[in-house]
Amino acid sequence: MVRIRLSIITYGLLATAGMVVAGTPAMAKKQSATGPAVQMSESFRASAYAADAAIKAGDAASAQARVAGLMPSSDFEAYVAAGLRFEVAVLRQDFQSQRIALTDMFKTGSVPKKDAPRLRYIAGYLSYVVGNNDDALAQLDYAKTLGYDGIDATMLRADIYFRKNKPKDARPYVREALARQRASGQPIPAAWYDRSISMAYAAGDWSELGSLYRERLSLYGSAGEWRSALANYLTAPGMDAQVQLDLYRLQAANGAMASERDYQAYAQFAEKAGNHAEAKAIIEAGRAAGKLTSTQAATAAVMKSVTPKAAKQIAGLPAAAKKAASAKDGSAALAVADDYFSLSQFPQAVEQYRLALSKGGVDRGRANTRLGIALARSGDLPGGKAALAQVDGNWANVAGFWTVWIDQQSRKVAERPANTSPAS
């Protein structure tokens, strides 16, 4: 939902009135350069001043009583009285009364021309808050004709259409709001990302969903945020099992393994990929974290299966690497690289991924993605990012997620005091 700091806006609402209310008797009549005469009687001025003082003191009951006693006898006095009713309604957090007070202000001819566009937007927002969506759109249209077309108005239109169960109408406004906010150089609120993400998810637009999640994570990158993003993105239909495996690896790298399901799914993907030692390690990590127990049938069966295979996998790596070096293409080297990668032996994995790429005959997206990850996990963050930048096709999204992780690690390194050693 669009948020407006109404308590601050009200200071602008009565800029002209406030000058007269707080002024001396000599200021009780003043010719406006853009409208009718600014005129208040001495008695009205004194009552309005007392009401304004109560509002500033936060005394809602006293302020309401004083405002209720105002007897405006001119157009400008009616404007001031409506403005003070608005401020009392703000004090009481009464949105319906705020909206009614704005209507009363619009009925006068004393609304300053420079304030009218913004006030119409606020009227639209308040109509939205009280559930009058059609009037909210009408007020936004009016504000736009007067020259107000802020990003907040664009996002409010999206919220209105979303509430009206018209996500296809809402989505272009969300996209426009995000694009304009990016262009302004201002940070995008997390709630705006969430709205756009929910729309992309509902539309099944997984490419945009991944892009939005990556952008959001670059700004809001806690472990919980990572888990939420990856868990939702992993539900994309038809995703390659190897891609899913690397996303679970990323979840673990962020300390975002939070449930039994997380550990079980990761272990199962690792086992299916033939990474027996990795599956064993993740089950052990889940048990150590208290998320898995040795009595759970599913993981106990996986553990029983992978334990002897893990030892065999590790023992056979030197011979496999030697054989890959003389192979006619890079497929054997890629398999060896993946084994080293699964064992977290990243320098050896880097060597084998480079060999696989030089020989050719491999999925370059997969090889470059894992080369980039292995470089970064080895400590070469710039090299890892450069390798990931070469990835396109089916692996582009997973490379993009890992690039965000690399950027976060780079910031941590830059922020680390010079005399502090890197964490182990």
Side-chain angles (χ1 to χ4, degrees):
M1 177 186 291
V2 176
R3 299 290 183 187
I4 298 179
R5 297 178 65 190
L6 290 169
S7 60
I8 291 177
I9 290 171
T10 53
Y11 289 109
L13 288 176
L14 298 179
T16 304
M19 188 167 61
V20 178
V21 169
T24 63
M27 295 176 64
K29 183 175 182 179
K30 179 179 178 182
Q31 185 67 30
S32 171
T34 58
V38 176
Q39 184 174 356
M40 291 193 295
S41 66
E42 179 61 26
S43 61
F44 183 89
R45 184 201 68 78
S47 297
Y49 180 85
D52 186 59
I55 290 168
K56 287 183 170 64
D59 186 350
S62 178
Q64 183 161 331
R66 292 183 180 280
V67 170
L70 292 175
M71 301 293 289
S73 59
S74 69
D75 185 85
F76 188 74
E77 287 180 355
Y79 165 70
V80 171
L84 290 170
R85 286 198 299 276
F86 182 93
E87 294 224 34
V88 172
V90 170
L91 204 58
R92 290 182 172 276
Q93 298 184 339
D94 183 343
F95 295 107
Q96 184 70 55
S97 294
Q98 289 173 40
R99 182 65 188 88
I100 293 170
L102 274 183
T103 296
D104 291 342
M105 291 174 70
F106 294 145
K107 289 178 181 177
T108 74
S110 295
V111 177
K113 290 183 178 179
K114 65 181 180 62
D115 294 336
R118 176 70 175 168
L119 290 181
R120 287 289 177 180
Y121 162 71
I122 295 172
Y125 170 75
L126 291 171
S127 289
Y128 168 79
V129 170
V130 300
N132 192 342
N133 296 318
D134 291 338
D135 183 69
L137 288 173
Q139 294 298 326
L140 291 179
D141 289 341
Y142 199 163
K144 191 170 184 177
T145 64
L146 294 176
Y148 188 85
D149 190 28
I151 301 173
D152 47 4
T154 302
M155 197 64 186
L156 180 55
R157 285 182 187 274
D159 283 331
I160 292 169
Y161 281 117
F162 198 77
R163 179 190 278 178
K164 288 165 72 74
N165 199 27
K166 295 182 177 180
K168 289 183 179 179
D169 292 328
R171 199 174 176 201
Y173 289 111
V174 176
R175 285 171 163 171
E176 179 187 344
L178 264 63
R180 291 175 64 181
Q181 190 77 350
R182 291 184 194 105
S184 73
Q186 298 298 311
I188 296 174
W192 289 20
Y193 282 118
D194 293 340
R195 177 64 81 211
S196 192
I197 284 168
S198 68
M199 291 179 180
Y201 188 90
D205 190 338
W206 299 100
S207 178
E208 182 171 8
L209 186 73
S211 177
L212 287 166
Y213 266 132
R214 291 193 296 274
E215 187 175 348
R216 192 187 193 287
L217 288 167
S218 70
L219 300 173
Y220 310 98
S222 68
E225 299 280 2
W226 272 103
R227 184 180 185 275
S228 177
L230 294 175
N232 285 331
Y233 187 73
L234 278 161
T235 63
M239 187 181 293
D240 184 279
Q242 291 286 341
V243 168
Q244 291 176 298
L245 176 58
D246 279 6
L247 291 175
Y248 275 109
R249 287 166 167 168
L250 178 57
Q251 188 173 331
N254 278 288
M257 303 290 287
S259 70
E260 173 186 328
R261 179 184 177 280
D262 292 340
Y263 285 98
Q264 286 184 343
Y266 182 179
Q268 287 166 1
F269 274 107
E271 181 194 22
K272 289 178 182 177
N275 300 328
H276 309 297
E278 183 177 15
K280 180 174 181 290
I282 198 63
I283 291 172
E284 290 172 343
R287 290 175 176 176
K291 304 300 180 181
L292 300 176
T293 67
S294 58
T295 59
Q296 288 168 320
T299 49
V302 172
M303 196 68 164
K304 183 178 180 180
S305 171
V306 299
T307 298
K309 295 176 182 177
K312 185 177 180 180
Q313 176 188 14
I314 294 169
L317 265 176
K322 185 176 181 180
K323 185 177 179 179
S326 60
K328 62 179 181 179
D329 62 29
S331 57
L334 180 62
V336 172
D338 283 345
D339 281 344
Y340 278 125
F341 188 104
S342 72
L343 295 168
S344 298
Q345 295 183 23
F346 298 115
Q348 296 91 327
V350 166
E351 180 183 353
Q352 293 298 319
Y353 283 126
R354 284 175 168 161
L355 177 61
L357 287 164
S358 68
K359 285 178 173 288
V362 297
D363 181 342
R364 298 189 68 84
R366 171 176 162 182
N368 272 313
T369 297
R370 289 182 174 167
L371 170 61
I373 299 168
L375 283 166
R377 298 301 298 268
S378 299
D380 183 0
L381 297 174
K385 188 171 182 178
L388 291 174
Q390 300 180 49
V391 179
D392 55 18
N394 293 335
W395 284 84
N397 277 314
V398 68
F401 277 112
W402 274 98
T403 297
V404 175
W405 180 84
I406 289 175
D407 287 339
Q408 290 178 344
Q409 304 312 303
S410 297
R411 286 195 294 271
K412 291 177 182 178
V413 170
E415 293 167 359
R416 187 181 298 137
N419 60 348
T420 301
S421 299
S424 59

